[in-house]
Amino acid sequence: MSGTIIKSARNTPNAPQDLGPYTQSVAFSHYNNISAQLPVDPNTGKMIEGDVAAQARQCLSNIKAIVESIGHVMDDMVKATIFLKDMGDLEAVNSVYREFFPGYLPTRTVLAVAGLPLGAAIQMEALISNGEGTFPQAPCALVKLARNSDKAPQCALSTHTVAFSHYNNIGAQLPVDAASGKLVAGGIQEQAAQCLRNIKNVLESIDVPFDDIVKVNIYLTSLADLEAVGEVYSTFFPDSAIARAVAYLPARSVVSATALPMGARVQMDAVISHGDGTPPQLVEDRHNLVIRARNTYKAPRSPLHCQSVAFSHYNHIAGQLPIDMATGKVLTGCIREQTAQCLGHIKTIVESIGHMMDDIVKVNIQVANIADLAEVDAVYTRYFPSYLPARTVIGVSELPAGALVQIDAVMSNAESTPPQA
C-alpha cells in the first residue's frame, strides 16, 4: 500500500460473511466504510423470511453488529444509503429506521433500483466516523457536526450535513422548494437546478464554498434526461473565479434509479472537503488547503467531471464506464470484458497518481442485470486477489451508452493534500 497510514479491514461472524468478494468494514484515517448489508441471517447465511420491515431490521442489525464489533456505536454513522426494490416500501422501512436512530440522525440517500443481490427487497450501506484513526494515527475524540438549514427542505429522518474530521457529507437533495415543501414546477432542468440550489443553500448556511465539493452523485429515473441535467450542471460548476481559472470540476457518478422519493425525476448528494475540520482539530486556513483534481489521457475524460479528486486522506474516483479508448465508445463485448475495461480504467487512474489498487477502500458497482454478478466477480477478484475493499452492488435499469456495468471507487490517500501531513 502507498504511504504510511494503514488500512484496517475487518470482518465479524456476527454479520453475514462470504456473500461476495468484499470486506465488511474498511477503515482508513478518520472514516470507516461499511459494505452494503443484505437482509441475511449471519447464523444461516440465508435471506430471512418476512416482509420488507423485517428485511430492513435485518440490514440495520447487520450494520449494527459490524459497527459494534469494531468498538463503535450507531451514532458514529455519518451517512446511510438505502436501496429499495420498491419505493412504495419506504414508509415501512422508515418505521424500522427510527428504532435504530431515536435521536441523532445521519445524512441519508434513498432510491429504488432495478435489482439487488439475492433478490432482496432492501439493502443498506453506511459510512462511519473513525475518531481513533488508523495506525500510526493516535486516537482523537473528534466531534461530529450535524446541521440543518432553513433554506433547504428538511426531513424528519435525516440531517442535511454531517461533518467529521476533514470531510462533510451532504444528504440527498430532492427538487423540493424549501418554502412549500413540494416538488418544483417544471421539467427535468428545473428539478436539477433545484437539487443543486438546495445543496448550495446547505453549504452557504455553514459558510462553505460550492467549489469545496469533491464528489457528486446524480440519481436519475431516466438517463434520457442526462444531457439536460448536464446543461444545468455546467451552470453551477465551476462556481468561483479561482475554480474557473483551473477548470476545477468534482468527481461524479450517475446512477439510474427506478424511482425516487416523492416521484422526483432527479436527486443529488455530495461529499465536501471540510478544511476547518471538527473539534478538537485546529481550524486551518482554507486558502492553503488543496483539493487535488487530476485527469489522465490514458482513461476516458469528461467535460463534466474530473477522473480523480483528492482531499486530505481520501481520493474520489469518478464512475467509470467500459469505454474503448481507441473508439471513445462502449466496448463491444460481454459483461466480463466490460467489467475488465471499467476496472482497467480505474487501475490506470489510480496508477497515474502514484497509487495502487490495494489503496482502494470502497467500490461501487452498478450492473444492468443483477444476474451477471457472478461474472463480474470472476473478473473483480483478478484486480483484488488478496485484500478486498468494502463494496456495494446494485442492479440498474439502464447505464449510459448502453453499457452493462459501471464502477466507481474511493481510495485512501496516505500522503494527504497540502498543508495536511
Side-chain angles (χ1 to χ4, degrees):
M1 176 184 171
S2 306
T4 56
I5 301 174
I6 306 300
K7 296 191 308 292
S8 181
R10 291 171 285 188
N11 288 305
T12 173
N14 296 326
Q17 298 185 82
D18 303 321
L19 295 181
Y22 61 83
T23 302
Q24 292 169 350
S25 163
V26 180
F28 183 80
S29 186
H30 287 131
Y31 275 92
N32 205 318
N33 301 267
I34 308 295
S35 290
Q37 293 300 301
L38 290 160
V40 169
D41 183 341
N43 296 313
T44 65
K46 297 180 180 179
M47 287 269 295
I48 65 161
E49 296 181 359
D51 59 11
V52 71
Q55 290 199 19
R57 183 171 287 105
Q58 187 66 52
C59 291
L60 285 161
S61 295
N62 290 340
I63 290 174
K64 189 170 186 281
I66 294 168
V67 168
E68 292 179 348
S69 76
I70 56 177
H72 282 262
V73 295
M74 289 293 275
D75 275 3
D76 289 342
M77 190 182 295
V78 296
K79 171 78 186 287
T81 304
I82 301 175
F83 303 96
L84 296 170
K85 191 70 173 62
D86 183 349
M87 187 56 70
D89 289 335
L90 183 56
E91 185 175 349
V93 170
N94 284 343
S95 65
V96 176
Y97 191 85
R98 289 186 184 94
E99 298 173 12
F100 287 80
F101 299 100
Y104 159 76
L105 294 165
T107 64
R108 194 172 81 152
T109 295
V110 177
L111 64 153
V113 296
L116 292 169
L118 303 181
I122 185 171
Q123 173 178 258
M124 297 189 200
E125 68 173 16
L127 182 66
I128 308 293
S129 60
N130 191 52
E132 66 270 27
T134 50
F135 183 84
Q137 292 172 322
C140 185
L142 296 169
V143 175
K144 294 193 308 294
L145 294 178
R147 292 172 283 186
N148 286 305
S149 168
D150 292 334
K151 295 183 178 180
Q154 297 192 22
C155 173
L157 288 172
S158 67
T159 301
H160 281 152
T161 166
V162 178
F164 184 79
S165 184
H166 285 126
Y167 271 93
N168 203 321
N169 302 272
I170 308 298
Q173 293 300 305
L174 289 161
V176 171
D177 176 75
S180 68
K182 297 180 180 179
L183 290 177
V184 295
I188 186 62
Q189 290 193 317
E190 288 78 12
Q191 289 202 14
Q194 188 66 41
C195 291
L196 288 161
R197 197 174 299 117
N198 287 340
I199 290 174
K200 194 168 189 179
N201 286 341
V202 171
L203 294 184
E204 289 178 352
S205 74
I206 57 175
D207 193 29
V208 173
F210 200 64
D211 282 321
D212 280 2
I213 294 175
V214 297
K215 171 77 187 294
V216 176
N217 294 307
I218 300 176
Y219 306 92
L220 290 171
T221 56
S222 173
L223 290 186
D225 289 336
L226 184 54
E227 183 176 351
V229 171
E231 291 175 4
V232 174
Y233 191 87
S234 62
T235 67
F236 281 80
F237 296 101
D239 184 60
S240 66
I242 293 174
R244 285 190 290 273
V246 297
Y248 171 69
L249 293 165
R252 193 177 83 155
S253 290
V254 176
V255 180
S256 174
T258 57
L260 294 170
M262 298 182 68
R265 294 169 65 177
V266 59
Q267 79 176 356
M268 303 184 197
D269 61 24
V271 182
I272 315 294
S273 63
H274 186 62
D276 37 343
T278 51
Q281 292 172 323
L282 297 177
V283 173
E284 299 282 353
D285 181 351
R286 276 193 189 142
H287 295 288
N288 290 329
L289 289 163
V290 173
I291 296 174
R292 183 167 286 153
R294 289 174 284 190
N295 291 297
T296 172
Y297 284 103
K298 295 180 180 180
R301 296 170 69 115
S302 168
L304 290 173
H305 66 249
C306 289
Q307 294 166 348
S308 161
V309 179
F311 180 77
S312 186
H313 285 132
Y314 275 92
N315 203 320
H316 303 264
I317 310 296
Q320 296 299 306
L321 290 163
I323 302 294
D324 184 335
M325 292 299 293
T327 65
K329 297 179 180 179
V330 167
L331 182 74
T332 301
C334 66
I335 184 65
R336 286 192 180 216
E337 292 167 322
Q338 291 202 14
T339 300
Q341 192 75 2
C342 292
L343 288 166
H345 291 326
I346 290 175
K347 188 172 187 285
T348 296
I349 294 166
V350 166
E351 291 179 350
S352 75
I353 54 178
H355 281 261
M356 59 186 74
M357 290 294 276
D358 274 1
D359 289 343
I360 291 175
V361 296
K362 174 75 190 301
V363 174
N364 299 300
I365 301 176
Q366 298 129 46
V367 289
N369 184 352
I370 198 69
D372 286 338
L373 183 53
E375 299 294 303
V376 171
D377 285 345
V379 177
Y380 186 86
T381 50
R382 298 206 305 262
Y383 286 81
F384 300 100
S386 52
Y387 157 72
L388 294 167
R391 195 174 80 158
T392 293
V393 178
I394 58 172
V396 294
S397 55
E398 56 179 339
L399 284 165
L404 300 176
V405 60
Q406 176 176 250
I407 304 175
D408 68 26
V410 181
M411 187 174 72
S412 59
N413 190 49
E415 65 270 30
S416 189
T417 50
Q420 295 297 317

